[in-house]
Amino acid sequence: MSVAITTSSASTLLHEEPIASPNACGVGLDLDQASVSCVLKQEAISVTLNGPAIFTLSMTLALIIHFFEPRIAETLLVIVPILLLVRNDYHNFLGLGPGGTPATFQGYVRIAWLRLWALRDPFTAPEAKPNILPKRGILRQEGDLTRLPYRPGPRPQVAGIAPQRQLDQHGTEPHYHALRKTLQKLASANPARFGTARSCLEKHGLGLFARHPVNVTCNGEVCHVHDSDHSLHMNLHPEDIREVLAKGWGQRHPLAWKGKLVRMPVPEEFVMVYAPRDDHELRIVCKIIEAAIWYVVSERTDIQVERAA
C-alpha cells in the first residue's frame, strides 16, 4: 500500500547541454562567456508514504501524544511541516540560479523577509511623480503604425524576487546573442554616452550603462539581460511601463514600489521585460530599451538591431 501526495512542478531546461560544473548557471563567468546551461526549477512539496512509512508515522504521532506534554506535542506537530516548507522554499530559491542576492541561507532569509512587502499586483503601472524628468514616455507618443504591438500568446510563468526569472518561453540562443551584441555595439558606437559591464543591480549578466544619466539608477544602469532565462530588467517612465504591461511585454518587479517602513532595493520604475523569441520580438524589445534609455538620459536613441545568426 502506498499513498502519494504530489503537486506539479515547474522545471525548465534552457539549453540541451547538461550542467557540467557548479559554474554552469553563470556564477563567476566572464561577460564574454554568454552561453549558459542552467536549469530553473520550482518544485512543490512531494510526500510519498508506503505501508511501513504510514505505520511508522502513525506510531510516532501516537508516542508523541502519549509521552509528551500537550503543548510540546502540539509544538512538534507544527514545527516539522514548517521546516519542510522552509527547506522546499529554500531549494526553490537556489533553483532560480544566480542573481543579485547571494545564493546562501542568509540571502534566502533576506528574500523571505522582502517577500512580505512584495507587490500584490505586478501588472498595474506606478503613478508618475509631478517633478519627474522626462515629463512623458515615448512608447505612446508614436504614430499608430509604430506603437507597441501586443505580444502574441500568454505571458510566461515568472517566479522569484531576487532573482526574478522566467520559467518558460525563453526564446532562442541566437536571439539572446543578437541582443547582447546589439547592446555592445550601441556602447562601442557611442562611447561618450554608453558603456557595457557586469550589471550593477543583478551582479550577473551584461548591463548597459549611461555615462551621464538624468535618473541615476545604480551607476546609470539602463538595462541588463539575464544569462539564464534571457529576460531583461530595466527602468522605464511610468507611462511606458503602462504601455509595456498593457501590451503583455513584461511585468513590474515585485519590489518596485516605494515603502515608508521598508526601503526597497530597486526603483519604482524597475520592470522585467520578457525574453525575445524571434526577430520581431527582438526588434520590439530593443524598442523598449530605447524607451529605457529615454527615461535614464532623457535623450532619444535609435538602436540598430543585430540579426540573429
Side-chain angles (χ1 to χ4, degrees):
M1 174 184 177
S2 66
V3 178
I5 306 173
T6 60
T7 55
S8 61
S9 65
S11 175
T12 305
L13 180 63
L14 300 189
H15 307 295
E16 294 181 356
E17 298 86 349
I19 294 178
S21 70
N23 284 340
C25 283
V27 179
L29 297 184
D30 294 332
L31 285 174
D32 293 336
Q33 190 173 353
S35 180
V36 178
S37 296
C38 184
V39 177
L40 301 184
K41 300 180 68 176
Q42 295 292 280
E43 298 286 354
I45 286 184
S46 177
V47 179
T48 301
L49 300 177
N50 55 21
I54 293 175
F55 175 78
T56 302
L57 179 61
S58 301
M59 290 299 297
T60 301
L61 292 175
L63 291 173
I64 289 175
I65 294 172
H66 182 75
F67 288 104
F68 289 94
E69 293 289 334
R71 187 173 299 175
I72 297 176
E74 292 169 359
T75 302
L76 290 174
L77 294 177
V78 170
I79 286 179
V80 170
I82 290 177
L83 291 177
L84 291 175
L85 286 171
V86 170
R87 179 183 180 276
N88 182 76
D89 197 42
Y90 175 59
H91 282 283
N92 282 341
F93 165 71
L94 297 179
L96 291 173
T101 305
T104 62
F105 190 75
Q106 182 179 0
Y108 163 74
V109 171
R110 180 171 183 264
I111 292 303
W113 162 251
L114 290 174
R115 188 187 299 159
L116 300 175
W117 309 93
L119 283 173
R120 297 295 178 251
D121 179 14
F123 303 110
T124 299
E127 295 296 328
K129 301 181 182 68
N131 57 347
I132 191 173
L133 289 175
K135 293 293 186 182
R136 303 292 303 273
I138 62 172
L139 293 179
R140 295 176 61 89
Q141 293 182 3
E142 306 288 348
D144 291 338
L145 296 179
T146 58
R147 278 194 173 186
L148 208 63
Y150 284 93
R151 181 181 183 271
R155 295 179 184 270
Q157 292 184 342
V158 175
I161 292 180
Q164 181 191 32
R165 294 290 183 266
Q166 277 183 231
L167 300 181
D168 56 7
Q169 302 183 35
H170 301 106
T172 68
E173 190 78 13
H175 291 97
Y176 163 65
H177 284 285
L179 177 58
R180 286 178 57 96
K181 191 179 295 184
T182 296
L183 297 179
Q184 291 168 334
K185 286 201 171 183
L186 173 65
S188 62
N190 302 273
R193 299 176 60 202
F194 303 109
T196 55
R198 190 178 300 276
S199 169
C200 170
L201 289 165
E202 177 69 19
K203 307 299 189 295
H204 301 275
L206 180 70
L208 176 68
F209 293 82
R211 300 196 184 278
H212 307 288
V214 173
N215 292 297
V216 180
T217 54
C218 197
N219 296 333
E221 182 172 315
V222 175
C223 67
H224 62 255
V225 57
H226 305 129
D227 294 333
S228 56
D229 66 342
H230 307 165
S231 66
L232 303 92
H233 278 124
M234 63 186 70
N235 293 278
L236 293 169
H237 191 282
E239 287 186 358
D240 290 334
I241 294 176
R242 187 175 296 109
E243 185 75 358
V244 168
L245 300 181
K247 299 298 178 63
W249 291 98
Q251 62 189 69
R252 295 177 67 187
H253 190 276
L255 302 180
W257 65 283
K258 190 173 183 179
K260 295 181 179 179
L261 299 177
V262 180
R263 183 178 180 181
M264 295 295 114
V266 297
E268 285 184 87
E269 299 80 13
F270 201 55
V271 176
M272 167 185 264
V273 173
Y274 305 137
R277 298 170 292 183
D278 54 33
D279 292 342
H280 169 69
E281 292 193 1
L282 178 60
R283 290 192 295 270
I284 298 302
V285 167
C286 288
K287 182 180 178 66
I288 299 174
I289 295 175
E290 290 177 359
I293 294 173
W294 165 254
Y295 176 68
V296 174
V297 302
S298 193
E299 294 179 6
R300 285 184 176 270
T301 302
D302 293 326
I303 296 179
Q304 301 299 318
V305 183
E306 293 294 313
R307 297 188 61 180

